Amino acid sequence: MGEADKKGAYDRLAEVIRSCRACPLYKGRTQAVPGEGNLDAEVMLVGEAPGKTEDEQGRPFVGAAGQLLTEALERAGLPRPTVYITNVVKCRPPNNRTPTEEEVASCVKYLREEIRLVRPKVIVALGNTAGSALFSLAGLKWRGATAERGRQVRAKVEGVEVVLLPTYHPAAALYKPDLRGLLEKDVEEAAKLVKRGRQGRRTLLDFM
């Protein structure tokens, strides 16, 4: 798919997301929040759902947790414009509660389209909701964020060969600062996987 075709497909998807009424969350949103970033990104980061600031601005990860994530990306040599960032659920749940299974089921089709469009090499699952959704799409069993964190799992999602790398959500690292180092380590590992893949001596999957 050419660059113009890919941008057109993204614009159409973003418009569908912004007008979506597939679940009751639309009733309380300011605006839905499509993913954003490099449509040819090698690294995709997937979170849970928009928070208050994201709901207001219509962009993912722009609040305090987003700032922490942006800093981790910069430190790892993955400036935010080089990656693609999105959430499993595109509308803010009331009081930032965890999305329900029904809400995830209604919205995950958009994440599937984003993966098919971007075709990343590494997908970083930020937190339990993202990890559970992505492992389900890959036909894998999810054991929880703490158990899975830091694993590198070769998988096929929407026909795309990827490495799934689960870690903690940046919001969790805000509330528990001891998790921040683990989050940063995992983001750095995503950058290393991509760098090794570019070297051409071996594929990403040789490092699994």
Side-chain angles (χ1 to χ4, degrees):
M1 184 182 293
E3 184 176 339
D5 292 337
K6 186 173 278 197
K7 179 64 164 57
Y10 168 80
D11 288 344
R12 289 189 294 275
L13 175 60
E15 186 55 38
V16 170
I17 290 170
R18 292 188 184 103
S19 60
C20 179
R21 296 189 174 192
C23 82
L25 287 180
Y26 83 89
K27 297 176 183 178
R29 74 187 179 208
T30 303
Q31 51 191 321
V33 182
E36 69 172 32
N38 184 350
L39 299 181
D40 294 311
E42 295 175 290
V43 176
M44 175 183 283
L45 299 104
V46 181
E48 178 177 288
K52 183 175 184 294
T53 307
E54 290 76 17
D55 175 70
E56 291 170 349
Q57 296 188 24
R59 297 180 57 212
F61 285 95
V62 289
Q67 181 59 39
L68 189 154
L69 179 61
T70 298
E71 291 171 1
L73 288 166
E74 289 284 349
R75 193 170 287 113
L78 288 172
R80 182 162 171 148
T82 69
V83 302
Y84 187 90
I85 300 178
T86 191
N87 286 297
V88 176
V89 171
K90 311 303 189 191
C91 294
R92 182 194 181 198
N95 301 312
N96 290 355
R97 66 160 170 73
T98 301
T100 66
E101 290 183 8
E102 292 76 16
E103 288 159 358
V104 170
S106 294
C107 211
V108 74
K109 59 180 179 279
Y110 300 131
L111 175 61
R112 295 171 64 182
E113 288 195 44
E114 288 173 305
I115 293 169
R116 288 197 296 267
L117 183 65
V118 178
R119 304 187 70 81
K121 293 182 172 63
V122 179
I123 303 180
V124 180
L126 301 168
N128 197 61
T129 297
S132 177
L134 286 162
F135 271 52
S136 178
L137 290 177
L140 302 171
K141 183 178 180 181
W142 176 250
R143 300 176 300 157
T146 300
E148 300 289 1
R149 184 253 126 202
R151 280 185 69 203
Q152 297 172 20
V153 182
R154 175 183 178 176
K156 181 175 283 190
V157 183
E158 295 302 304
V160 182
E161 293 279 356
V162 299
V163 176
L164 296 177
L165 202 166
T167 189
Y168 295 111
H169 194 284
L174 283 178
Y175 290 108
K176 295 182 179 180
D178 56 316
L179 299 182
R180 180 166 182 165
L182 296 174
L183 170 63
E184 291 175 345
K185 179 181 179 181
D186 294 335
V187 173
E188 288 175 2
E189 191 59 33
K192 289 177 182 177
L193 283 168
V194 168
K195 185 176 180 180
R196 290 167 184 160
R198 289 176 187 157
Q199 289 173 346
R201 292 194 300 271
R202 291 184 260 178
T203 70
L204 287 175
L205 304 177
D206 290 319
F207 293 86
M208 301 306 299

